[in-house]
Amino acid sequence: MNEAAFLAYLRHLPLHAGARGLRDDAAVLGDLVLTHDLLVEGVHYLPDDPAEDVAWKLVAVNLSDLAAKGAVPEGVLLGYPLAGDEAWDSSFLAGLDAALAAFACPLIGGDTVKAPPGVPRTLSLTALGRSPHAPARNGAQAGDLLYVTGTIGDGGAGLEVARTGEGPATLLARYRRPTPRLEEGQALASGVHAMMDVSDGLLIDATRMAEASGLGVTIDLAALPLSADYQAVRGGDRAARLAAATAGDDYELLFAAPPGPLPLAATCLGAFSEGAGLTLHDAGTPLPLPDRLGFEHGA
Amino acid sequence: MNEAAFLAYLRHLPLHAGARGLRDDAAVLGDLVLTHDLLVEGVHYLPDDPAEDVAWKLVAVNLSDLAAKGAVPEGVLLGYPLAGDEAWDSSFLAGLDAALAAFACPLIGGDTVKAPPGVPRTLSLTALGRSPHAPARNGAQAGDLLYVTGTIGDGGAGLEVARTGEGPATLLARYRRPTPRLEEGQALASGVHAMMDVSDGLLIDATRMAEASGLGVTIDLAALPLSADYQAVRGGDRAARLAAATAGDDYELLFAAPPGPLPLAATCLGAFSEGAGLTLHDAGTPLPLPDRLGFEHGA
């Protein structure tokens, strides 16, 4: 069963109102925001990624979902497999310590299990936060502008650095130690119509926001914010921008907001309109959609 | 690293006050109770256990932790590996549906991940509940009596039925489809001094409650409540009672309460006193402690 079929079945089960139909990054129960994300060795991280960085990433990807709801983290619950690798465990704990300290997020609880050695690890985390007004993924309105924080493509380029061992350490850090945009999310939450984090790729995530909102979205690839490091490695031509827009692991915030001032710097990439689907331009030139808009789970 | 060493390290990390020092079955944040338990194929369930039953058990073991805090379940978040086995996925979903309906507990959210096929599954669940007064594991007082709900040993005997294919279906059901004692927990919570569920074995769990409370505990093995099914298969002699008291998977509630009336039927097994450790009797005869008091994670 692929993810879409599995989720379709799950939606027939008794759902909590706060589940938002399982169509959002996090569940929202009053002011409580809850998310639960797994990392699987060989799927979400490379088997030779340092355990310290894997721990950091496990925390960061979950807190990124909280950031998209404008939440202040309250704590995390960890699910950890003990596979008899002392060095890995110690390194993981050091990374966990660093991430929890960096994001001022304490440990609430969790579970350790004995895991068969030699089997790819599955790591789980549940993060809990509080947000007075958590924006949904499906709240974009026709006429809203589409914005993104920070720069796009660095995570994907960093994965390439990890794979090849060549390239700037700054990009590698963007892949291995992403920063959840917690303060940005908190600043934006009350003013945006929809918000989510960019985890699977900008184009696929923007398309999901438009679909959830029953709208179409137009993106101008020329507006894509690329870092100097990214451009030094990949250049800034159309292929480079398309690669950045379809790579995952950015953990920036993507949001729909009405025209007008924002509480922080962000890049406007396009706009939502009546209709459906993604329309892509490059500085006025219409572009055909690439075969792959981003990472699709279970595809 | 074994579980004890890993937990000792975790206790040096920034902990939420609600984590209760990572020494309890669940975290308690105001009236909110949170628990996160994993099941690993080949460790917590047999590879040929039906997926429907595995789903049930995943829900039940987490809700059992809520029961020990007297909580009413509010919902669960599921972490599920999609490994390309359509029949297993469908069966799992049917069992999840049945368990959520049986315990009136909706789905709040979660995550699916692509998992390498052929690798033992790791399933994770986070359960959320509400309890106006969640008892701790460490609140037993000298002079309290030790009680347990239901019967003990059926889960362990049921595991044997699953392994051998021989024995009563009722015992198999106790192993594969345990019932979290939610109503019992809610009825008991305000009157007990300490409560936990029996998951790893009665003797080890009672010893943990005594240790956490800074007390000793005396148990009379003759008082152990055995089911008719258990006795039909294993008999009721000392060896049978010792086997029942050291088997896991019971998911009954173990609690410390002052002498006096209880709001429900439960079996008194012994008492807490100043001192330390477990003292075992059998109808007045002192017994040496068995080598193994129950299941120790990572041991």
Side-chain angles (χ1 to χ4, degrees), chain A residues 1 3 6 13-14 16 19 27 29 36 38 44 74 80 86 89-90 97 107-108 111-112 124 126, chain B residues 1 3 13-14 16 19 27 29 36 38 74 86 89-90 97 106-108 111-113 124 126:
Chain A
M1 210 175 275
E3 187 187 35
F6 193 83
L13 300 187
H16 195 289
L29 289 69
H36 177 56
L38 313 180
H44 302 95
E74 180 150 346
Y80 188 82
E86 189 97 16
D89 294 339
S90 297
D97 196 358
L107 188 65
I108 294 182
D111 192 22
T112 59
S124 68
T126 301
Chain B
M1 210 175 275
E3 186 186 35
L13 300 187
H16 194 289
L29 289 70
H36 177 55
L38 314 180
E74 179 150 348
E86 190 95 15
D89 294 340
S90 296
D97 196 357
L107 188 66
I108 295 182
D111 192 21
T112 59
V113 290
S124 68
T126 301

mmCIF file of all heavy atoms in Angstrom, chain A residues 1 3 6 13-14 16 19 27 29 36 38 44 74 80 86 89-90 97 107-108 111-112 124 126, chain B residues 1 3 13-14 16 19 27 29 36 38 74 86 89-90 97 106-108 111-113 124 126:
data_model
loop_
_atom_site.group_PDB
_atom_site.id
_atom_site.type_symbol
_atom_site.label_atom_id
_atom_site.label_comp_id
_atom_site.label_asym_id
_atom_site.label_seq_id
_atom_site.Cartn_x
_atom_site.Cartn_y
_atom_site.Cartn_z
ATOM 1 N N MET A 1 0.852 -1.186 0.000
ATOM 2 C CA MET A 1 0.000 0.000 0.000
ATOM 3 C C MET A 1 0.891 1.240 0.000
ATOM 4 O O MET A 1 1.884 1.284 0.724
ATOM 5 C CB MET A 1 -0.855 -0.012 1.288
ATOM 6 C CG MET A 1 -2.211 0.650 1.141
ATOM 7 S SD MET A 1 -3.226 0.469 2.640
ATOM 8 C CE MET A 1 -3.979 -1.133 2.386
ATOM 9 N N GLU A 3 1.491 5.528 0.434
ATOM 10 C CA GLU A 3 1.057 6.447 1.493
ATOM 11 C C GLU A 3 -0.348 6.992 1.245
ATOM 12 O O GLU A 3 -1.163 7.095 2.160
ATOM 13 C CB GLU A 3 2.052 7.622 1.614
ATOM 14 C CG GLU A 3 1.726 8.496 2.813
ATOM 15 C CD GLU A 3 2.574 9.765 2.884
ATOM 16 O OE1 GLU A 3 2.906 10.327 1.828
ATOM 17 O OE2 GLU A 3 2.876 10.186 4.004
ATOM 18 N N PHE A 6 -2.930 4.391 2.118
ATOM 19 C CA PHE A 6 -2.947 4.166 3.570
ATOM 20 C C PHE A 6 -3.655 5.330 4.268
ATOM 21 O O PHE A 6 -4.511 5.134 5.134
ATOM 22 C CB PHE A 6 -1.505 4.013 4.070
ATOM 23 C CG PHE A 6 -1.398 3.467 5.466
ATOM 24 C CD1 PHE A 6 -1.450 2.095 5.700
ATOM 25 C CD2 PHE A 6 -1.239 4.320 6.554
ATOM 26 C CE1 PHE A 6 -1.342 1.587 6.986
ATOM 27 C CE2 PHE A 6 -1.133 3.824 7.842
ATOM 28 C CZ PHE A 6 -1.180 2.454 8.062
ATOM 29 N N LEU A 13 -11.256 6.017 9.609
ATOM 30 C CA LEU A 13 -11.267 5.641 11.034
ATOM 31 C C LEU A 13 -11.855 6.799 11.842
ATOM 32 O O LEU A 13 -11.989 7.918 11.345
ATOM 33 C CB LEU A 13 -9.834 5.352 11.510
ATOM 34 C CG LEU A 13 -9.090 4.223 10.797
ATOM 35 C CD1 LEU A 13 -7.770 3.951 11.497
ATOM 36 C CD2 LEU A 13 -9.929 2.963 10.756
ATOM 37 N N PRO A 14 -12.207 6.518 13.109
ATOM 38 C CA PRO A 14 -12.664 7.629 13.952
ATOM 39 C C PRO A 14 -11.527 8.647 14.100
ATOM 40 O O PRO A 14 -10.442 8.306 14.585
ATOM 41 C CB PRO A 14 -12.952 6.951 15.304
ATOM 42 C CG PRO A 14 -12.960 5.480 15.047
ATOM 43 C CD PRO A 14 -12.165 5.230 13.821
ATOM 44 N N HIS A 16 -10.101 12.421 15.453
ATOM 45 C CA HIS A 16 -10.268 13.549 16.372
ATOM 46 C C HIS A 16 -10.467 14.818 15.540
ATOM 47 O O HIS A 16 -9.868 14.950 14.469
ATOM 48 C CB HIS A 16 -9.003 13.670 17.218
ATOM 49 C CG HIS A 16 -9.144 14.542 18.427
ATOM 50 N ND1 HIS A 16 -9.253 15.899 18.363
ATOM 51 C CD2 HIS A 16 -9.188 14.221 19.741
ATOM 52 C CE1 HIS A 16 -9.357 16.395 19.591
ATOM 53 N NE2 HIS A 16 -9.326 15.387 20.446
ATOM 54 N N ALA A 19 -7.438 16.439 14.380
ATOM 55 C CA ALA A 19 -6.606 15.774 13.360
ATOM 56 C C ALA A 19 -6.635 16.534 12.043
ATOM 57 O O ALA A 19 -5.797 16.298 11.166
ATOM 58 C CB ALA A 19 -7.085 14.338 13.145
ATOM 59 N N ALA A 27 -1.398 18.097 14.420
ATOM 60 C CA ALA A 27 -2.745 18.112 14.983
ATOM 61 C C ALA A 27 -2.856 19.316 15.912
ATOM 62 O O ALA A 27 -1.877 19.715 16.542
ATOM 63 C CB ALA A 27 -3.004 16.823 15.742
ATOM 64 N N LEU A 29 -5.209 20.766 18.988
ATOM 65 C CA LEU A 29 -6.264 20.525 19.972
ATOM 66 C C LEU A 29 -6.302 21.736 20.895
ATOM 67 O O LEU A 29 -5.528 21.822 21.846
ATOM 68 C CB LEU A 29 -5.962 19.276 20.808
ATOM 69 C CG LEU A 29 -6.081 17.890 20.141
ATOM 70 C CD1 LEU A 29 -5.000 17.641 19.108
ATOM 71 C CD2 LEU A 29 -6.024 16.808 21.220
ATOM 72 N N HIS A 36 4.160 13.966 15.053
ATOM 73 C CA HIS A 36 4.879 12.708 15.288
ATOM 74 C C HIS A 36 5.527 12.306 13.976
ATOM 75 O O HIS A 36 4.846 11.924 13.033
ATOM 76 C CB HIS A 36 3.870 11.648 15.754
ATOM 77 C CG HIS A 36 4.451 10.284 15.955
ATOM 78 N ND1 HIS A 36 5.511 10.055 16.798
ATOM 79 C CD2 HIS A 36 4.123 9.074 15.440
ATOM 80 C CE1 HIS A 36 5.797 8.753 16.776
ATOM 81 N NE2 HIS A 36 4.976 8.152 15.965
ATOM 82 N N LEU A 38 8.822 10.201 12.004
ATOM 83 C CA LEU A 38 9.843 9.155 12.100
ATOM 84 C C LEU A 38 11.001 9.459 11.157
ATOM 85 O O LEU A 38 10.816 10.075 10.110
ATOM 86 C CB LEU A 38 9.255 7.807 11.679
ATOM 87 C CG LEU A 38 7.896 7.381 12.247
ATOM 88 C CD1 LEU A 38 7.513 6.017 11.688
ATOM 89 C CD2 LEU A 38 7.952 7.327 13.759
ATOM 90 N N HIS A 44 15.511 8.414 5.319
ATOM 91 C CA HIS A 44 15.528 9.835 5.695
ATOM 92 C C HIS A 44 16.919 10.335 6.061
ATOM 93 O O HIS A 44 17.133 11.529 6.221
ATOM 94 C CB HIS A 44 14.594 10.084 6.883
ATOM 95 C CG HIS A 44 13.187 9.670 6.613
ATOM 96 N ND1 HIS A 44 12.699 8.442 6.966
ATOM 97 C CD2 HIS A 44 12.159 10.308 6.004
ATOM 98 C CE1 HIS A 44 11.430 8.349 6.599
ATOM 99 N NE2 HIS A 44 11.080 9.446 6.019
ATOM 100 N N GLU A 74 6.928 22.723 23.621
ATOM 101 C CA GLU A 74 6.811 22.453 25.057
ATOM 102 C C GLU A 74 7.667 21.253 25.456
ATOM 103 O O GLU A 74 8.182 21.195 26.565
ATOM 104 C CB GLU A 74 5.350 22.191 25.424
ATOM 105 C CG GLU A 74 5.184 21.910 26.900
ATOM 106 C CD GLU A 74 3.845 22.345 27.450
ATOM 107 O OE1 GLU A 74 3.124 23.100 26.778
ATOM 108 O OE2 GLU A 74 3.521 21.918 28.570
ATOM 109 N N TYR A 80 13.292 5.140 20.843
ATOM 110 C CA TYR A 80 14.674 4.859 20.444
ATOM 111 C C TYR A 80 14.996 3.365 20.483
ATOM 112 O O TYR A 80 14.781 2.704 21.504
ATOM 113 C CB TYR A 80 15.625 5.600 21.381
ATOM 114 C CG TYR A 80 17.066 5.532 20.928
ATOM 115 C CD1 TYR A 80 17.536 6.393 19.949
ATOM 116 C CD2 TYR A 80 17.942 4.588 21.458
ATOM 117 C CE1 TYR A 80 18.847 6.325 19.513
ATOM 118 C CE2 TYR A 80 19.249 4.512 21.027
ATOM 119 C CZ TYR A 80 19.703 5.389 20.061
ATOM 120 O OH TYR A 80 20.997 5.322 19.623
ATOM 121 N N GLU A 86 27.246 1.011 21.152
ATOM 122 C CA GLU A 86 27.540 1.984 22.220
ATOM 123 C C GLU A 86 27.955 3.341 21.659
ATOM 124 O O GLU A 86 27.480 4.388 22.107
ATOM 125 C CB GLU A 86 28.674 1.420 23.086
ATOM 126 C CG GLU A 86 28.967 2.168 24.359
ATOM 127 C CD GLU A 86 28.264 1.519 25.543
ATOM 128 O OE1 GLU A 86 27.825 0.360 25.416
ATOM 129 O OE2 GLU A 86 28.144 2.184 26.581
ATOM 130 N N ASP A 89 24.966 5.141 20.092
ATOM 131 C CA ASP A 89 24.055 5.615 21.138
ATOM 132 C C ASP A 89 24.604 6.874 21.820
ATOM 133 O O ASP A 89 23.874 7.840 22.036
ATOM 134 C CB ASP A 89 23.826 4.523 22.201
ATOM 135 C CG ASP A 89 23.087 3.310 21.646
ATOM 136 O OD1 ASP A 89 22.414 3.439 20.599
ATOM 137 O OD2 ASP A 89 23.179 2.229 22.257
ATOM 138 N N SER A 90 25.889 6.847 22.154
ATOM 139 C CA SER A 90 26.493 7.993 22.847
ATOM 140 C C SER A 90 26.468 9.229 21.965
ATOM 141 O O SER A 90 26.158 10.333 22.425
ATOM 142 C CB SER A 90 27.937 7.695 23.236
ATOM 143 O OG SER A 90 27.984 6.642 24.144
ATOM 144 N N ASP A 97 21.010 16.136 23.054
ATOM 145 C CA ASP A 97 21.295 17.161 24.073
ATOM 146 C C ASP A 97 21.473 18.533 23.407
ATOM 147 O O ASP A 97 20.855 19.533 23.810
ATOM 148 C CB ASP A 97 22.571 16.757 24.827
ATOM 149 C CG ASP A 97 22.738 17.507 26.135
ATOM 150 O OD1 ASP A 97 21.897 18.368 26.445
ATOM 151 O OD2 ASP A 97 23.731 17.238 26.832
ATOM 152 N N LEU A 107 12.898 17.267 27.284
ATOM 153 C CA LEU A 107 12.411 15.909 27.048
ATOM 154 C C LEU A 107 11.239 15.645 27.992
ATOM 155 O O LEU A 107 11.304 15.961 29.189
ATOM 156 C CB LEU A 107 13.553 14.927 27.319
ATOM 157 C CG LEU A 107 13.322 13.466 26.967
ATOM 158 C CD1 LEU A 107 13.158 13.282 25.459
ATOM 159 C CD2 LEU A 107 14.489 12.615 27.465
ATOM 160 N N ILE A 108 10.165 15.079 27.438
ATOM 161 C CA ILE A 108 8.975 14.782 28.256
ATOM 162 C C ILE A 108 8.901 13.306 28.609
ATOM 163 O O ILE A 108 8.373 12.932 29.642
ATOM 164 C CB ILE A 108 7.685 15.181 27.495
ATOM 165 C CG1 ILE A 108 7.613 16.697 27.301
ATOM 166 C CG2 ILE A 108 6.451 14.715 28.243
ATOM 167 C CD1 ILE A 108 6.345 17.162 26.600
ATOM 168 N N ASP A 111 10.239 6.005 24.967
ATOM 169 C CA ASP A 111 10.366 4.560 25.102
ATOM 170 C C ASP A 111 11.666 4.131 24.448
ATOM 171 O O ASP A 111 12.047 4.656 23.397
ATOM 172 C CB ASP A 111 9.180 3.885 24.382
ATOM 173 C CG ASP A 111 9.056 2.394 24.693
ATOM 174 O OD1 ASP A 111 9.578 1.950 25.733
ATOM 175 O OD2 ASP A 111 8.423 1.675 23.897
ATOM 176 N N THR A 112 12.369 3.195 25.089
ATOM 177 C CA THR A 112 13.480 2.548 24.404
ATOM 178 C C THR A 112 13.111 1.098 24.169
ATOM 179 O O THR A 112 12.407 0.496 24.982
ATOM 180 C CB THR A 112 14.778 2.582 25.230
ATOM 181 O OG1 THR A 112 14.531 1.910 26.476
ATOM 182 C CG2 THR A 112 15.230 4.004 25.516
ATOM 183 N N SER A 124 11.758 7.564 16.334
ATOM 184 C CA SER A 124 10.489 8.290 16.346
ATOM 185 C C SER A 124 10.525 9.405 17.380
ATOM 186 O O SER A 124 11.213 9.314 18.396
ATOM 187 C CB SER A 124 9.327 7.343 16.627
ATOM 188 O OG SER A 124 9.384 6.855 17.945
ATOM 189 N N THR A 126 7.784 12.500 19.079
ATOM 190 C CA THR A 126 6.531 13.248 19.153
ATOM 191 C C THR A 126 6.859 14.586 19.782
ATOM 192 O O THR A 126 7.508 14.635 20.822
ATOM 193 C CB THR A 126 5.512 12.500 20.030
ATOM 194 O OG1 THR A 126 5.277 11.213 19.468
ATOM 195 C CG2 THR A 126 4.189 13.265 20.103
ATOM 196 N N MET B 1 24.728 0.128 24.454
ATOM 197 C CA MET B 1 24.238 0.699 25.705
ATOM 198 C C MET B 1 22.935 -0.024 26.082
ATOM 199 O O MET B 1 22.093 -0.253 25.215
ATOM 200 C CB MET B 1 23.948 2.191 25.476
ATOM 201 C CG MET B 1 24.125 3.062 26.702
ATOM 202 S SD MET B 1 23.919 4.841 26.320
ATOM 203 C CE MET B 1 25.580 5.281 25.766
ATOM 204 N N GLU B 3 19.291 -0.327 28.420
ATOM 205 C CA GLU B 3 18.250 0.655 28.696
ATOM 206 C C GLU B 3 18.586 1.506 29.926
ATOM 207 O O GLU B 3 18.382 2.727 29.928
ATOM 208 C CB GLU B 3 16.902 -0.043 28.901
ATOM 209 C CG GLU B 3 15.766 0.957 29.042
ATOM 210 C CD GLU B 3 14.426 0.318 29.391
ATOM 211 O OE1 GLU B 3 14.412 -0.678 30.142
ATOM 212 O OE2 GLU B 3 13.405 0.824 28.919
ATOM 213 N N LEU B 13 19.677 15.234 30.476
ATOM 214 C CA LEU B 13 19.224 16.215 29.474
ATOM 215 C C LEU B 13 18.209 17.148 30.136
ATOM 216 O O LEU B 13 17.703 16.874 31.213
ATOM 217 C CB LEU B 13 18.570 15.492 28.290
ATOM 218 C CG LEU B 13 19.441 14.498 27.528
ATOM 219 C CD1 LEU B 13 18.713 14.009 26.289
ATOM 220 C CD2 LEU B 13 20.760 15.126 27.125
ATOM 221 N N PRO B 14 17.913 18.277 29.465
ATOM 222 C CA PRO B 14 16.851 19.137 30.000
ATOM 223 C C PRO B 14 15.535 18.352 30.021
ATOM 224 O O PRO B 14 15.072 17.888 28.986
ATOM 225 C CB PRO B 14 16.776 20.293 28.984
ATOM 226 C CG PRO B 14 17.985 20.185 28.121
ATOM 227 C CD PRO B 14 18.464 18.775 28.198
ATOM 228 N N HIS B 16 11.422 18.050 31.091
ATOM 229 C CA HIS B 16 10.191 18.750 31.439
ATOM 230 C C HIS B 16 9.762 18.291 32.832
ATOM 231 O O HIS B 16 9.948 17.112 33.188
ATOM 232 C CB HIS B 16 9.123 18.374 30.409
ATOM 233 C CG HIS B 16 7.908 19.252 30.426
ATOM 234 N ND1 HIS B 16 6.988 19.229 31.439
ATOM 235 C CD2 HIS B 16 7.457 20.177 29.549
ATOM 236 C CE1 HIS B 16 6.026 20.104 31.177
ATOM 237 N NE2 HIS B 16 6.299 20.695 30.035
ATOM 238 N N ALA B 19 7.863 15.201 32.978
ATOM 239 C CA ALA B 19 8.521 13.938 32.639
ATOM 240 C C ALA B 19 8.659 13.036 33.864
ATOM 241 O O ALA B 19 8.949 11.849 33.735
ATOM 242 C CB ALA B 19 9.898 14.200 32.028
ATOM 243 N N ALA B 27 4.004 10.687 30.936
ATOM 244 C CA ALA B 27 4.289 12.057 31.353
ATOM 245 C C ALA B 27 2.972 12.720 31.731
ATOM 246 O O ALA B 27 1.920 12.412 31.161
ATOM 247 C CB ALA B 27 4.948 12.816 30.212
ATOM 248 N N LEU B 29 1.331 16.475 32.297
ATOM 249 C CA LEU B 29 1.446 17.937 32.154
ATOM 250 C C LEU B 29 0.087 18.528 32.501
ATOM 251 O O LEU B 29 -0.799 18.588 31.652
ATOM 252 C CB LEU B 29 1.796 18.318 30.718
ATOM 253 C CG LEU B 29 3.210 18.020 30.188
ATOM 254 C CD1 LEU B 29 3.453 16.541 30.006
ATOM 255 C CD2 LEU B 29 3.433 18.745 28.873
ATOM 256 N N HIS B 36 4.358 7.178 24.975
ATOM 257 C CA HIS B 36 4.854 6.858 23.630
ATOM 258 C C HIS B 36 5.550 5.510 23.716
ATOM 259 O O HIS B 36 6.617 5.400 24.309
ATOM 260 C CB HIS B 36 5.837 7.956 23.190
ATOM 261 C CG HIS B 36 6.474 7.708 21.857
ATOM 262 N ND1 HIS B 36 5.744 7.482 20.721
ATOM 263 C CD2 HIS B 36 7.770 7.660 21.478
ATOM 264 C CE1 HIS B 36 6.580 7.308 19.703
ATOM 265 N NE2 HIS B 36 7.801 7.406 20.139
ATOM 266 N N LEU B 38 6.714 1.813 21.637
ATOM 267 C CA LEU B 38 6.999 1.167 20.359
ATOM 268 C C LEU B 38 6.778 -0.339 20.464
ATOM 269 O O LEU B 38 6.950 -0.931 21.528
ATOM 270 C CB LEU B 38 8.474 1.378 19.975
ATOM 271 C CG LEU B 38 9.073 2.779 20.103
ATOM 272 C CD1 LEU B 38 10.537 2.737 19.670
ATOM 273 C CD2 LEU B 38 8.312 3.760 19.245
ATOM 274 N N GLU B 74 -7.737 10.539 24.867
ATOM 275 C CA GLU B 74 -8.236 11.602 23.990
ATOM 276 C C GLU B 74 -7.927 11.276 22.523
ATOM 277 O O GLU B 74 -8.677 11.651 21.638
ATOM 278 C CB GLU B 74 -7.606 12.936 24.373
ATOM 279 C CG GLU B 74 -8.090 14.059 23.476
ATOM 280 C CD GLU B 74 -8.114 15.404 24.185
ATOM 281 O OE1 GLU B 74 -7.976 15.455 25.426
ATOM 282 O OE2 GLU B 74 -8.283 16.408 23.481
ATOM 283 N N GLU B 86 0.825 -5.292 1.085
ATOM 284 C CA GLU B 86 -0.570 -4.828 1.020
ATOM 285 C C GLU B 86 -1.460 -5.565 2.029
ATOM 286 O O GLU B 86 -2.264 -4.951 2.727
ATOM 287 C CB GLU B 86 -1.092 -5.074 -0.411
ATOM 288 C CG GLU B 86 -2.429 -4.456 -0.731
ATOM 289 C CD GLU B 86 -2.249 -3.098 -1.407
ATOM 290 O OE1 GLU B 86 -1.109 -2.811 -1.853
ATOM 291 O OE2 GLU B 86 -3.218 -2.357 -1.476
ATOM 292 N N ASP B 89 -0.695 -4.479 5.607
ATOM 293 C CA ASP B 89 -1.190 -3.119 5.844
ATOM 294 C C ASP B 89 -2.707 -3.116 6.042
ATOM 295 O O ASP B 89 -3.224 -2.472 6.962
ATOM 296 C CB ASP B 89 -0.836 -2.194 4.668
ATOM 297 C CG ASP B 89 0.664 -1.968 4.525
ATOM 298 O OD1 ASP B 89 1.403 -2.183 5.507
ATOM 299 O OD2 ASP B 89 1.101 -1.590 3.423
ATOM 300 N N SER B 90 -3.440 -3.833 5.181
ATOM 301 C CA SER B 90 -4.902 -3.859 5.277
ATOM 302 C C SER B 90 -5.347 -4.486 6.584
ATOM 303 O O SER B 90 -6.271 -3.998 7.246
ATOM 304 C CB SER B 90 -5.507 -4.661 4.118
ATOM 305 O OG SER B 90 -5.217 -4.033 2.912
ATOM 306 N N ASP B 97 -8.664 0.003 13.461
ATOM 307 C CA ASP B 97 -10.066 0.441 13.468
ATOM 308 C C ASP B 97 -10.793 -0.198 14.659
ATOM 309 O O ASP B 97 -11.484 0.487 15.437
ATOM 310 C CB ASP B 97 -10.708 0.012 12.135
ATOM 311 C CG ASP B 97 -12.013 0.735 11.860
ATOM 312 O OD1 ASP B 97 -12.456 1.528 12.713
ATOM 313 O OD2 ASP B 97 -12.589 0.514 10.781
ATOM 314 N N PRO B 106 -10.102 8.278 19.248
ATOM 315 C CA PRO B 106 -9.898 8.631 17.836
ATOM 316 C C PRO B 106 -8.423 8.784 17.465
ATOM 317 O O PRO B 106 -7.548 8.895 18.329
ATOM 318 C CB PRO B 106 -10.615 9.979 17.722
ATOM 319 C CG PRO B 106 -10.495 10.584 19.077
ATOM 320 C CD PRO B 106 -10.521 9.439 20.057
ATOM 321 N N LEU B 107 -8.172 8.793 16.178
ATOM 322 C CA LEU B 107 -6.832 9.054 15.651
ATOM 323 C C LEU B 107 -6.620 10.568 15.581
ATOM 324 O O LEU B 107 -7.493 11.305 15.125
ATOM 325 C CB LEU B 107 -6.732 8.431 14.259
ATOM 326 C CG LEU B 107 -5.370 8.419 13.585
ATOM 327 C CD1 LEU B 107 -4.399 7.533 14.347
ATOM 328 C CD2 LEU B 107 -5.500 7.923 12.136
ATOM 329 N N ILE B 108 -5.456 11.011 16.045
ATOM 330 C CA ILE B 108 -5.159 12.452 16.029
ATOM 331 C C ILE B 108 -4.215 12.809 14.882
ATOM 332 O O ILE B 108 -4.251 13.906 14.351
ATOM 333 C CB ILE B 108 -4.508 12.892 17.366
ATOM 334 C CG1 ILE B 108 -5.490 12.728 18.528
ATOM 335 C CG2 ILE B 108 -4.039 14.330 17.284
ATOM 336 C CD1 ILE B 108 -4.919 13.191 19.866
ATOM 337 N N ASP B 111 2.486 9.666 11.237
ATOM 338 C CA ASP B 111 3.436 9.713 10.126
ATOM 339 C C ASP B 111 3.541 8.321 9.517
ATOM 340 O O ASP B 111 3.532 7.324 10.231
ATOM 341 C CB ASP B 111 4.816 10.148 10.661
ATOM 342 C CG ASP B 111 5.802 10.501 9.555
ATOM 343 O OD1 ASP B 111 5.358 10.797 8.429
ATOM 344 O OD2 ASP B 111 7.013 10.492 9.820
ATOM 345 N N THR B 112 3.583 8.265 8.180
ATOM 346 C CA THR B 112 3.935 7.010 7.529
ATOM 347 C C THR B 112 5.295 7.189 6.875
ATOM 348 O O THR B 112 5.617 8.284 6.409
ATOM 349 C CB THR B 112 2.922 6.613 6.431
ATOM 350 O OG1 THR B 112 2.881 7.650 5.450
ATOM 351 C CG2 THR B 112 1.534 6.420 7.013
ATOM 352 N N VAL B 113 6.073 6.129 6.881
ATOM 353 C CA VAL B 113 7.383 6.194 6.238
ATOM 354 C C VAL B 113 7.563 4.978 5.344
ATOM 355 O O VAL B 113 6.971 3.924 5.584
ATOM 356 C CB VAL B 113 8.539 6.233 7.272
ATOM 357 C CG1 VAL B 113 8.559 7.554 8.016
ATOM 358 C CG2 VAL B 113 8.462 5.067 8.233
ATOM 359 N N SER B 124 5.150 2.671 16.056
ATOM 360 C CA SER B 124 5.152 3.583 17.198
ATOM 361 C C SER B 124 3.780 4.210 17.379
ATOM 362 O O SER B 124 3.024 4.388 16.416
ATOM 363 C CB SER B 124 6.206 4.674 17.009
ATOM 364 O OG SER B 124 5.862 5.534 15.954
ATOM 365 N N THR B 126 1.800 7.261 19.969
ATOM 366 C CA THR B 126 1.751 8.208 21.077
ATOM 367 C C THR B 126 0.294 8.331 21.484
ATOM 368 O O THR B 126 -0.562 8.536 20.626
ATOM 369 C CB THR B 126 2.281 9.584 20.645
ATOM 370 O OG1 THR B 126 3.622 9.434 20.189
ATOM 371 C CG2 THR B 126 2.262 10.562 21.810
#
